[in-house]
Amino acid sequence: MSQVVNKRPLNPDDISKIVCYGNLEVSPDGNYLTYVRQSIKDDEYVTNIHLVELDTGRDIQLTNSGKDRSPKWSPDGQKIAFVSDRMSHSQIWIIDIHGGEAICAKTKEKVESEPVWSPDGRRIFFLSQTFAKPDDWIPYPGCPDGDKDRALEQVKRRLSPDEPHKTPPEKKPNDIKVITRLLYRRDGIGYYGDTRTHIFYMDLKENINPDEELETFRVTQGDFDYGLPCISPCGSYLVTSALCREDADYHTKSDLWLVDLEEKQSYLLYESEGPAYQPKWSFDGEYIGFLGHNNARGVSTKTDLYLLPVSPFIHSLKEGAAPQPLREGDAINVTKGTDLEAGAFISSDVTFGYGSSLCWDGSVLYFSAVDCGTPYVYRVDPALAQVEETTEPEVVSGSSEKAMSAFHIKQGVLALRWSNPVQPENLYVTWLTEDKEKRLTFDNDEFMSQIQVGKYDKFQYSAGDGQQIDGWVIYPAQDGQKDSPMVTLIHGGPHGVYGSAFMFKAQMFAGRGYYVSYFNPRGSISYGQEFSACIDGDWGNKDYSDIMDGVNTVVANHPIDKRNMFVHGWSYGGYMTTWIVTQTNAFKAACAGAPVSNLYTDYGCTDIIWADEHEYGGKPWENRDLYLDRSPVSHVANVETPILLLHGENDYRCRITHSEEFYQSLRRLGKTAVFVRYPNEYHGFKRPLHRIDLNNRILAWFEHYRNQV
């Protein structure tokens, strides 16, 4: 007789019990898969590298430091390079797949990217911070004597992780920040200081001595930042993304640069009108696939997949010519004329890493894209793609019933990570030539078998002007409930997108008898250029009405208790939550996470001012009235809904001042508001304790008001 399991709702601290998987990569021969398994223990993330024998499904744990990530196969498939924080700073380690201990390829630089193998397996490239100013550099004209020494000392401490431990306790370091750049900080990173991200490589010895520091070589030059490189099949060149100009901070674009590794010379390969990034070289060296757009609609421009014929450019170099950089007309835009958001994924709110969204397998390029809220893997063969761009990319994998959030392919073996609204992310493998699929991970099955989850539906509804909008509803986990409360969730962005992914918050509420609704209002990606960009300069109009029309649709079709409706969003979803409570009293309580409440002051505080300038409708001093009119804080006197505000104190994307302004204005008016600050957290929370606390507070807040008459 089978044992009856007494199921229960998801609790906030259950987030620490869910195992996540990421950094998946199929071996060159297609026989194995490496991935990172992430768990949580004692308020710390534990990440180790696993190896799966795909034929049998046998899973082997390769590392056990709990601090390992980004495994990358050597070209011969015999070794794996990975990054680990098990020492004082991140380093590359190498392990033989047939056994033995991992060996550290020790460098003086802190490794700040995944490792990139050369095709012959003799070199590994990586990104690291370095001081790249010219010899005559000074912090700024008119700076006091000794300020350059202060700056160089700060650079030394930043680049030498052990340096703070060598400083006598009585001598505190000078931590003054001198700002001269337009863009001087980044959420999740902090202040840039006077360092830049450059490309380095190390030559691997046959027998690496882990106690000896390997000599490293810097490939790139100049006071610029470079992206992760891709090495040409011949090993003579690399391609990277960068904007190598003094006024780089004033442009929302990046170009592709070619570096001749033998001549140590850089060439502008592709001059883009917008961002060009994630370049991937084809195995025959003829093409470079990359993601980007032409800035036609500013930061709201749809991302496309391009194929760039590169061999004529290289041939000219070999002939001694200095070719002109290629431009958009020289590239094949594979996704032009489609609604596909190339390179996008839809992931769960409990996940680990993303990885590349482009991957060559033989002569075919595979890429991810989202179409109307559903992520797919597509493929395109450059031999079939005409310059007229008439070839449609072919769907390889995907379904509206699930959300794919990572993939990798070799030898026709496609590894995928996906979830659905009732199941957390797992890894799967599909053999494309055999149309066979196998599930590879099972860690969460026993735990989830104890949890009450609500079923779900995806549906469409008509907005007030007839626009069709996608929505989802999660049902209460207990059958037969009537007059149930409802939580509406709002995604970030605004150019984010919901799909059929597992959402911890949604199931946490469904297990307690709530309906959960969420929608892709105008502004969401994957529904075409106009759908995404039509809210630029018009926040709080169509997007607001789309959400409220969705709420009304769910209420009309399900037994919702209209007296017990709640709303929560993060980032742009936080903006929309604060906007909603100034426009309607439909919700009994609200929770806004990391909101923007004042568009006018946000322009001077955020790390993405170009996004603000475009999406808010111009510069604030040129369009002050619109900025203020669409700011929730301008309408704060209308608020009657109790609201909980949650914010990370180190958030550089949506500064904590937004919650401060909204909270203080509400309290001055005698309104009900609570403000919770999380120390050392950026826009996306990292610390497990804080993620648990956050969910606990949202749940307790809504439950309190749900039970009020």
Side-chain angles (χ1 to χ4, degrees):
M1 181 180 293
S2 60
Q3 184 177 0
V4 176
V5 178
N6 292 320
K7 295 193 175 186
R8 63 172 179 82
L10 271 178
N11 294 320
D13 61 354
D14 285 333
I15 201 167
S16 65
K17 299 172 186 173
I18 295 179
V19 174
C20 299
Y21 313 98
N23 296 168
L24 52 159
E25 180 157 308
V26 181
S27 63
D29 60 9
N31 291 329
Y32 299 92
L33 173 76
T34 55
Y35 70 91
V36 172
R37 180 185 186 275
Q38 176 189 269
S39 58
I40 296 174
K41 183 178 180 181
D42 299 330
D43 196 30
E44 296 285 343
Y45 291 106
V46 177
T47 56
N48 289 305
I49 295 170
H50 285 239
L51 175 72
V52 182
E53 191 177 62
L54 294 178
D55 209 23
T56 65
R58 186 167 68 105
D59 191 305
I60 305 164
Q61 183 174 326
L62 286 182
T63 69
N64 57 16
S65 80
K67 299 180 178 181
D68 307 324
R69 64 186 185 277
S70 303
K72 293 293 173 181
W73 288 92
S74 63
D76 63 5
Q78 300 303 302
K79 296 181 178 66
I80 295 169
F82 62 94
V83 180
S84 180
D85 296 328
R86 60 180 77 180
M87 297 178 66
S88 59
H89 59 289
S90 299
Q91 296 279 258
I92 292 172
W93 294 65
I94 300 174
I95 190 168
D96 192 302
I97 67 166
H98 301 293
E101 293 294 323
I103 299 174
C104 181
K106 191 176 181 181
T107 61
K108 68 174 182 283
E109 293 86 8
K110 178 182 179 181
V111 175
E112 299 189 357
S113 72
E114 63 189 50
V116 178
W117 290 88
S118 64
D120 61 8
R122 296 178 180 176
R123 284 179 177 173
I124 293 182
F125 294 76
F126 61 94
L127 298 177
S128 186
Q129 293 287 308
T130 191
F131 183 74
K133 306 287 187 184
D135 292 339
D136 60 353
W137 173 81
I138 57 172
Y140 61 93
C143 66
D145 293 341
D147 203 37
K148 183 175 182 178
D149 293 336
R150 184 266 320 155
L152 294 177
E153 180 63 27
Q154 289 180 344
V155 168
K156 182 180 178 182
R157 290 201 308 272
R158 183 182 182 120
L159 300 182
S160 304
D162 294 331
E163 195 65 28
H165 302 293
K166 299 177 181 178
T167 305
E170 65 274 9
K171 185 180 179 182
K172 294 183 178 180
N174 185 340
D175 58 359
I176 294 169
K177 295 179 177 67
V178 176
I179 310 299
T180 59
R181 290 180 57 181
L182 173 65
L183 307 179
Y184 58 92
R185 58 191 175 186
R186 190 74 174 176
D187 188 69
I189 296 174
Y191 288 81
Y192 293 144
D194 296 312
T195 60
R196 293 285 195 167
T197 302
H198 277 256
I199 300 171
F200 293 76
Y201 73 82
M202 65 178 87
D203 286 318
L204 297 177
K205 299 177 181 179
E206 189 168 335
N207 294 305
I208 298 174
N209 184 345
D211 296 323
E212 290 183 5
E213 203 172 77
L214 291 175
E215 185 177 9
T216 55
F217 304 89
R218 196 173 94 189
V219 175
T220 46
Q221 305 300 322
D223 191 18
F224 314 113
D225 292 299
Y226 294 85
L228 191 70
C230 183
I231 317 303
S232 65
C234 66
S236 298
Y237 305 94
L238 68 74
V239 62
T240 183
S241 175
L243 186 55
C244 299
R245 46 191 297 173
E246 290 184 1
D247 62 347
D249 285 355
Y250 291 83
H251 299 271
T252 56
K253 60 164 283 182
S254 55
D255 304 315
L256 298 182
W257 285 79
L258 185 78
V259 179
D260 186 325
L261 295 171
E262 296 173 2
E263 300 295 329
K264 296 180 174 55
Q265 185 69 39
S266 297
Y267 302 92
L268 179 57
L269 170 65
Y270 179 79
E271 189 168 6
S272 179
E273 295 297 320
Y277 57 97
Q278 208 175 124
K280 297 288 184 182
W281 222 304
S282 64
F283 285 91
D284 59 7
E286 294 293 314
Y287 292 91
I288 289 173
F290 67 94
L291 298 169
H293 62 70
N294 60 10
N295 258 335
R297 301 295 292 269
V299 295
S300 301
T301 310
K302 181 176 79 76
T303 299
D304 283 316
L305 171 70
Y306 293 84
L307 287 169
L308 185 68
V310 70
S311 56
F313 187 96
I314 293 177
H315 180 73
S316 296
L317 289 181
K318 291 180 177 178
E319 294 295 316
Q324 291 296 308
L326 303 174
R327 298 182 181 273
E328 186 176 15
D330 300 306
I332 302 168
N333 187 337
V334 175
T335 52
K336 183 179 180 180
T338 73
D339 289 343
L340 299 181
E341 190 74 21
F345 292 113
I346 294 178
S347 68
S348 168
D349 55 1
V350 277
T351 192
F352 172 74
Y354 292 95
S356 174
S357 48
L358 303 181
C359 187
W360 289 91
D361 188 25
S363 62
V364 178
L365 178 60
Y366 292 77
F367 66 99
S368 67
V370 179
D371 183 21
C372 296
T374 298
Y376 297 94
V377 175
Y378 293 83
R379 65 183 166 202
V380 60
D381 188 340
L384 302 177
Q386 303 300 314
V387 175
E388 292 83 7
E389 300 155 17
T390 57
T391 301
E392 290 280 341
E394 178 188 1
V395 172
V396 176
S397 181
S399 165
S400 61
E401 298 299 310
K402 57 189 180 183
M404 183 265 299
S405 58
F407 84 95
H408 193 259
I409 184 168
K410 281 289 180 289
Q411 301 296 329
V413 179
L414 175 64
L416 297 158
R417 180 181 67 186
W418 58 259
S419 70
N420 61 43
V422 299
Q423 181 187 60
E425 290 181 337
N426 278 299
L427 302 184
Y428 296 77
V429 62
T430 298
W431 288 264
L432 297 181
T433 56
E434 304 174 38
D435 194 25
K436 182 178 68 173
E437 183 179 88
K438 178 187 290 186
R439 182 178 167 189
L440 301 176
T441 53
F442 304 89
D443 293 281
N444 297 313
D445 285 8
E446 182 178 354
F447 165 69
M448 288 302 298
S449 69
Q450 306 166 27
I451 301 301
Q452 289 179 318
V453 293
K455 298 177 182 178
Y456 68 98
D457 278 330
K458 181 181 179 181
F459 64 96
Q460 275 200 334
Y461 63 95
S462 294
D465 59 1
Q467 174 68 54
Q468 292 298 294
I469 307 291
D470 280 343
W472 286 259
V473 60
I474 308 286
Y475 293 86
Q478 303 88 352
D479 293 331
Q481 289 202 174
K482 295 183 178 180
D483 297 329
S484 300
M486 181 173 75
V487 174
T488 295
L489 302 177
I490 306 174
H491 69 60
H495 307 308
V497 61
Y498 278 132
S500 297
F502 181 81
M503 301 211 308
F504 185 92
K505 282 193 187 80
Q507 290 295 352
M508 181 178 71
F509 281 104
R512 287 167 173 79
Y514 289 76
Y515 279 85
V516 181
S517 60
Y518 45 99
F519 320 102
N520 283 336
R522 273 169 279 198
S524 304
I525 61 170
S526 80
Y527 295 89
Q529 181 62 81
E530 189 57 34
F531 189 98
S532 177
C534 71
I535 70 167
D536 290 343
D538 197 25
W539 280 26
N541 183 15
K542 292 177 180 177
D543 45 358
Y544 165 71
S545 61
D546 287 352
I547 291 168
M548 296 309 298
D549 287 339
V551 169
N552 292 333
T553 299
V554 176
V555 169
N557 290 282
H558 301 282
I560 307 297
D561 181 358
K562 294 177 66 175
R563 300 165 302 172
N564 273 307
M565 298 197 304
F566 307 90
V567 61
H568 167 61
W570 196 271
S571 190
Y572 165 80
Y575 161 83
M576 185 52 67
T577 299
T578 55
W579 180 256
I580 281 173
V581 297
T582 69
Q583 306 298 307
T584 179
N585 295 324
F587 297 97
K588 196 170 186 181
C591 175
V596 173
S597 68
N598 188 334
L599 306 188
Y600 195 84
T601 57
D602 184 53
Y603 184 85
C605 296
T606 185
D607 64 342
I608 51 170
I609 66 164
W610 300 116
D612 284 10
E613 191 168 304
H614 179 81
E615 296 192 35
Y616 296 170
K619 303 177 185 68
W621 52 88
E622 296 173 346
N623 218 349
R624 180 186 61 185
D625 291 345
L626 177 63
Y627 268 67
L628 293 177
D629 179 65
R630 299 305 171 88
S631 296
V633 74
S634 297
H635 309 280
V636 70
N638 299 335
V639 176
E640 299 296 335
T641 307
I643 188 166
L644 174 66
L645 299 161
L646 309 172
H647 223 124
E649 291 189 335
N650 286 359
D651 189 336
Y652 295 129
R653 184 62 40 85
C654 304
R655 296 294 285 168
I656 197 169
T657 52
H658 292 290
S659 285
E660 290 173 334
E661 284 187 56
F662 204 67
Y663 170 78
Q664 198 141 314
S665 299
L666 287 169
R667 295 302 295 160
R668 178 64 182 85
L669 289 163
K671 312 282 187 177
T672 301
V674 175
F675 178 25
V676 182
R677 307 169 65 105
Y678 291 88
N680 303 314
E681 289 287 8
Y682 290 105
H683 194 55
F685 282 19
K686 299 296 184 183
R687 187 178 174 188
L689 174 67
H690 291 164
R691 295 178 67 194
I692 292 168
D693 182 88
L694 179 149
N695 285 330
N696 208 9
R697 290 182 188 279
I698 299 171
L699 177 60
W701 183 252
F702 289 169
E703 285 281 84
H704 169 75
Y705 285 99
R706 171 189 179 181
N707 294 320
Q708 277 195 355
V709 179

